[in-house]
């Protein structure tokens, strides 16, 4: 045995990684799986809140509502409901069941009841936005080598619809919930000569 063989550590010691390094290595090779799991849990937990309310597990349900309230307005007239006769309710229906207030801080406290069902822990816009991120991420992965990268302005362009939607809704709400131009949509009714049912123009429910 020569001097080089004596000083060289065993092969298994050379390549033995610490736990943090193993985690980093695994993530570098399986980041899409980690992303899918993390995002799947993130978009899935809001739907467990109404399930827990249905089961009578109000404690854990309220923890989920509280956590997601830090990221979403949770207005009930802009949220899905589970275990009730309707998937969404109008502002008037929420006010009749809860309080006749237009104060967002009051309205957001309504999580549902056995007759109407229970509210998903974040709004329909949040459901669409984050669920689509997960779905399109999974679609992109097997096609990533065939797709060309978009320029920076392509990203800005793709974000524009969301900016217009959220921005105009914010400006509309300054007039008061149920009062703004994005709620009544009189401008759209005039533009289309009332070609669609009244439920299409007014409110935020499915089909509007």
């Amino acid at each position: 045995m020569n001097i080089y063989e004596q000083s060289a550590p065993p092969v298994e010691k050379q390549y033995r990684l610490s736990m943090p390094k193993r985690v980093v290595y695994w993530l570098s090779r399986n980041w899409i799986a980690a992303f899918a799991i993390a995002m799947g849990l993130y978009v899935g937990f809001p739907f467990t809140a109404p399930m827990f309310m249905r089961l009578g597990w109000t404690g854990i349900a309220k923890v989920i509502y509280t956590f997601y309230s830090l990221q979403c307005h949770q207005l009930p007239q802009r949220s899905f409901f589970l275990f009730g006769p309707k998937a969404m309710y109008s502002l008037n229906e929420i006010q009749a069941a809860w309080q006749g207030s237009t104060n967002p801080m009051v309205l957001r406290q309504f999580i549902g009841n056995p007759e109407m069902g229970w509210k998903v822990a974040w709004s329909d816009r949040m459901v669409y936005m984050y669920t689509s991120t997960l779905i399109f991420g999974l679609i992109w992965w097997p096609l990533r080598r065939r797709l060309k990268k978009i320029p920076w302005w392509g990203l800005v362009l793709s974000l524009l619809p969301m900016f217009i939607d959220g921005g105009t809704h914010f400006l509309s709400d300054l007039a008061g919930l149920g009062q703004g131009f994005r709620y009544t949509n009189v401008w759209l009714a005039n533009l289309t000569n009332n070609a669609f049912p009244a439920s299409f123009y007014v409110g935020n429910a499915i089909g509007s």
Side-chain angles (χ1 to χ4, degrees):
M1 180 180 295
N2 59 40
I3 186 172
Y4 300 106
E5 292 175 331
Q6 290 177 348
S7 61
V11 174
E12 61 271 14
K13 289 186 177 180
Q14 293 183 35
Y15 296 98
R16 186 176 298 166
L17 299 176
S18 63
M19 182 57 68
K21 289 183 178 179
R22 288 181 184 179
V23 172
V24 172
Y25 178 73
W26 185 88
L27 288 175
S28 69
R29 295 179 61 86
N30 302 278
W31 66 268
I32 189 64
F35 163 79
I37 293 171
M39 185 62 75
L41 292 173
Y42 187 60
V43 302
F45 270 119
F47 290 89
T48 64
M51 295 179 185
F52 290 141
M53 290 298 297
R54 173 81 168 185
L55 294 171
W57 301 353
T58 58
I60 188 171
K62 290 182 179 179
V63 168
I64 296 172
Y65 282 119
T66 301
F67 174 76
Y68 283 93
S69 71
L70 302 176
Q71 307 153 61
C72 177
H73 55 66
Q74 291 187 337
L75 291 174
Q77 72 275 18
R78 298 178 187 171
S79 302
F80 295 116
F81 279 70
L82 301 183
F83 310 113
K86 298 174 64 175
M88 296 186 76
Y89 294 94
S90 68
L91 178 60
N92 291 336
E93 290 173 314
I94 298 297
Q95 289 173 327
W98 178 235
Q99 296 184 28
S101 173
T102 58
N103 185 339
M105 301 306 294
V106 174
L107 288 170
R108 74 194 303 244
Q109 298 174 28
F110 180 70
I111 62 175
N113 55 45
E115 292 73 33
M116 299 175 67
W118 305 100
K119 182 177 69 174
V120 174
W122 59 10
S123 70
D124 57 345
R125 181 181 283 119
M126 297 288 278
V127 171
Y128 296 139
M129 184 166 59
Y130 286 101
T131 304
S132 64
T133 301
L134 172 61
I135 293 173
F136 280 95
L138 295 176
I139 294 174
W140 166 82
W141 177 251
L143 302 175
R144 65 192 184 283
R145 302 188 190 282
R146 304 179 187 178
L147 301 176
K148 295 181 179 180
K149 295 181 179 179
I150 62 173
W152 66 268
W153 55 263
L155 175 62
V156 174
L157 189 64
S158 66
L159 293 175
L160 192 59
M162 184 170 62
F163 174 78
I164 293 174
D165 178 45
T168 55
H169 235 140
F170 171 77
L171 294 174
S172 175
D173 288 344
L174 295 178
L177 294 181
Q179 304 296 322
F181 65 92
R182 279 296 306 271
Y183 186 84
T184 59
N185 288 307
V186 173
W187 63 275
L188 182 59
N190 292 332
L191 184 65
T192 58
N193 196 29
N194 290 287
F196 301 99
S199 59
F200 174 80
Y201 299 104
V202 180
N204 305 285
I206 295 175
S208 64

